[in-house]
Amino acid sequence: MQVTCGEKNHESINEKMRNVFTESIPENFDQPIEGYRYGEEISISYESKLAGATKKMVVVLPANYDETKKYPVLYFLHGIFGTEQDWIKENIKYVVQNLVEQNKACEMILVSVDYYFAVGKPNLVRGFTDLKVYEAYDKFLKGLTEEIMPLLKQRFSVKEGRENTALIGFSLGGRECLYSMIKRPELFGGIGAFCPAPGLLEYTLTYIGTVHEDGLFNSREEITLPDPYKKTTKIMIVKGNQDDVVKDHPKLYHELLAENEVEHTYVEIDGAHDLTTSKVGVYNFVQSLFME
C-alpha cells in the first residue's frame, strides 16, 4: 500500500484502524534494520516556569530531516514515576521509523517528554497515595501549550494544526492523553491511550495502598467531544488482558466514549501493564496518523 500523508480517505478513520489492527507484528519491529535510515535523536533541557525547574525532553527527527519541509508531531507520555527516557529506551524511534521506511507511516517528529510539573519539586515524589503527584502530572496540558509547543516551533520545522498533532501515553500518560483530548479537542487529531490509568472519573483503589481521587470530570456525560470532533479524531485505547494494575479502567473509558457516541478504536490484546503491550498499540496506531 502506498502511504500518502494528508490523503483523504472516506472510510471512517477509526473503523480503518480497527480493521487493520494486528498483534502479529514482525520480531524486529523495534530494532534497527540494516539499510534503513534513522533520524537524529536530540536531548533538550529547558527552564520551566510552570514547574520552577529544569525540564527535559527527547526529540527524534525524521531521517533526512529538511528544514524547508514541515513535519507533524507525535508526543509520547511516560507512566507514573517515569521520565522522558522511558519510551526512548524502548526503541520507539525504530518502531516508528521502520514503518516510515516500509512506507506504512508518514514522516513525523517524535517528542518524548517529562511531564511532571510540580512547582518547587523538580524530583518525583515517590508514593501512589500522594495526590500532589497526580496534580503535578495533570498540569501537562498547560505545560504543553505554554512551554513545550512554543519551544519546538522555535527550534524545529513543525507542521501545526490538530490534524498534524497527536499524543500517545502509557498508564498515567494514557489518562493524560484522554484528559487533554477532552479539554482541548481542537488541538489534537490523534490520541493513543495504552493501558490508561484511572482518574477521569472518581475512583478508589486499595491494592497499591488506598488511593482516592475525585476525578478530573464530574459525570459520565463529560467524557465526550464536541460534535465536530466525534468522528474526526483518531482515538485508540488498548487494554492488556493480563493488566493487574489499571485492571478494567481502559474498558471503562471505551464504554464511556461509546455511550457518548465518540468514534474510537478499542482493542484488548494479550499483554500486561507495560510498554511491551503499549508498543503493539504504537505499531498499529502510527500507521493511521497524519492522513486526513
Coordinates of all heavy atoms in Angstrom, one line a residue, residues 28 32 57 65 76 79 91-92 97 128 149 162-163 178 188 205 222 227 243 245 289:
N28 N 11.4 -8.0 14.6 CA 12.4 -6.9 14.7 C 11.8 -5.6 14.5 O 12.4 -4.6 14.1 CB 13.5 -7.1 13.6 CG 12.9 -7.1 12.2 OD1 11.7 -7.2 12.0 ND2 13.8 -7.0 11.2
P32 N 16.9 -1.7 15.0 CA 17.4 -1.1 13.8 C 17.6 -2.2 12.7 O 18.0 -3.3 13.0 CB 18.8 -0.6 14.2 CG 19.1 -1.3 15.5 CD 17.8 -1.7 16.1
M57 N 13.3 16.8 27.6 CA 12.5 16.1 26.6 C 13.5 15.5 25.6 O 14.7 16.0 25.5 CB 11.5 17.0 25.8 CG 12.1 18.0 24.9 SD 10.8 19.0 24.1 CE 10.5 20.3 25.3
Y65 N 16.0 14.8 7.7 CA 15.3 16.0 8.1 C 15.6 17.2 7.3 O 16.8 17.5 7.1 CB 15.5 16.3 9.6 CG 14.9 17.5 10.2 CD1 13.6 17.6 10.4 CD2 15.8 18.6 10.5 CE1 13.0 18.8 10.9 CE2 15.2 19.8 11.0 CZ 13.9 19.9 11.2 OH 13.4 21.1 11.7
F76 N 5.0 11.6 23.2 CA 4.9 10.4 24.0 C 5.0 10.8 25.4 O 5.8 11.5 25.9 CB 6.1 9.5 23.7 CG 6.1 8.8 22.3 CD1 6.5 9.5 21.2 CD2 5.5 7.5 22.2 CE1 6.4 8.9 19.9 CE2 5.5 6.9 20.9 CZ 5.9 7.6 19.8
G79 N 4.7 6.6 32.0 CA 3.8 6.3 33.1 C 4.3 7.0 34.4 O 5.2 7.8 34.4
N91 N 13.1 1.8 22.4 CA 13.4 1.9 21.0 C 12.2 2.3 20.1 O 12.0 1.9 19.0 CB 13.8 0.5 20.4 CG 15.2 0.1 20.9 OD1 16.0 0.9 21.4 ND2 15.5 -1.2 20.9
I92 N 11.5 3.3 20.7 CA 10.3 3.8 20.0 C 10.7 4.4 18.7 O 9.9 4.4 17.7 CB 9.5 4.7 20.9 CG1 8.1 4.9 20.4 CG2 10.2 6.1 21.0 CD1 7.3 3.6 20.4
Q97 N 10.1 4.7 12.8 CA 10.9 4.9 11.6 C 11.1 3.7 10.7 O 11.2 3.8 9.5 CB 12.2 5.6 11.9 CG 12.0 7.0 12.6 CD 13.2 7.8 12.7 OE1 14.3 7.4 12.5 NE2 13.0 9.1 13.0
F128 N 2.2 6.3 45.6 CA 1.0 6.3 44.9 C -0.1 7.1 45.6 O -1.1 7.5 45.1 CB 0.5 4.9 44.6 CG 1.3 4.2 43.5 CD1 2.2 3.3 43.8 CD2 1.0 4.5 42.2 CE1 2.9 2.7 42.8 CE2 1.7 3.9 41.2 CZ 2.7 3.0 41.5
M149 N 5.2 23.2 23.2 CA 4.9 23.5 21.8 C 5.6 24.8 21.3 O 6.2 24.8 20.2 CB 3.4 23.7 21.7 CG 2.7 22.3 21.6 SD 0.9 22.6 21.4 CE 0.4 20.9 20.8
R162 N -4.5 20.6 14.4 CA -4.8 19.4 15.1 C -4.6 18.1 14.2 O -4.2 17.1 14.7 CB -6.3 19.4 15.5 CG -7.3 19.2 14.4 CD -8.7 19.3 14.9 NE -9.1 18.4 16.0 CZ -9.6 17.2 15.8 NH1 -9.8 16.8 14.6 NH2 -9.9 16.5 16.9
E163 N -4.7 18.3 12.9 CA -4.5 17.1 12.0 C -3.0 16.7 11.9 O -2.7 15.7 11.4 CB -5.0 17.4 10.6 CG -4.3 18.5 9.8 CD -4.7 19.9 10.2 OE1 -5.4 20.1 11.1 OE2 -4.2 20.8 9.4
L178 N -6.1 11.2 27.2 CA -7.6 11.3 27.1 C -8.1 12.6 27.7 O -9.0 13.3 27.2 CB -8.2 10.1 27.8 CG -8.0 8.7 27.1 CD1 -8.4 7.6 28.0 CD2 -8.7 8.7 25.7
F188 N -5.8 18.3 19.1 CA -5.3 17.0 18.8 C -6.1 16.2 17.9 O -7.3 16.0 18.1 CB -5.2 16.2 20.1 CG -4.4 17.0 21.2 CD1 -5.1 17.5 22.3 CD2 -3.0 17.2 21.1 CE1 -4.4 18.2 23.3 CE2 -2.4 17.9 22.1 CZ -3.0 18.4 23.2
L205 N -8.8 3.0 44.8 CA -8.0 1.8 44.7 C -7.5 1.4 46.1 O -7.1 2.3 46.8 CB -6.8 1.9 43.7 CG -7.2 2.3 42.2 CD1 -5.9 2.4 41.5 CD2 -8.1 1.2 41.6
E222 N -19.5 13.9 30.6 CA -18.4 14.8 30.2 C -17.3 14.1 29.5 O -16.4 14.7 28.9 CB -17.9 15.4 31.5 CG -18.8 16.4 32.2 CD -18.2 17.0 33.4 OE1 -17.3 17.9 33.3 OE2 -18.6 16.6 34.6
D227 N -19.5 17.8 18.9 CA -19.9 17.1 17.7 C -18.9 17.2 16.6 O -18.7 16.2 15.9 CB -21.3 17.6 17.3 CG -22.4 17.1 18.2 OD1 -22.1 16.2 18.9 OD2 -23.5 17.7 18.1
D243 N -3.4 -7.2 32.5 CA -3.1 -6.0 33.2 C -3.7 -6.0 34.6 O -4.9 -5.8 34.8 CB -3.6 -4.8 32.5 CG -3.0 -3.4 33.0 OD1 -2.7 -3.4 34.2 OD2 -2.9 -2.5 32.2
V245 N -2.8 -3.9 37.0 CA -2.6 -2.6 37.6 C -3.8 -1.6 37.4 O -4.4 -1.2 38.4 CB -1.3 -1.9 37.1 CG1 -1.1 -0.5 37.7 CG2 -0.1 -2.8 37.4
L289 N -1.8 7.7 11.4 CA -1.6 9.1 11.7 C -1.3 10.0 10.5 O -0.6 9.5 9.6 CB -0.5 9.2 12.8 CG -0.9 8.9 14.2 CD1 0.3 9.1 15.1 CD2 -2.1 9.7 14.7

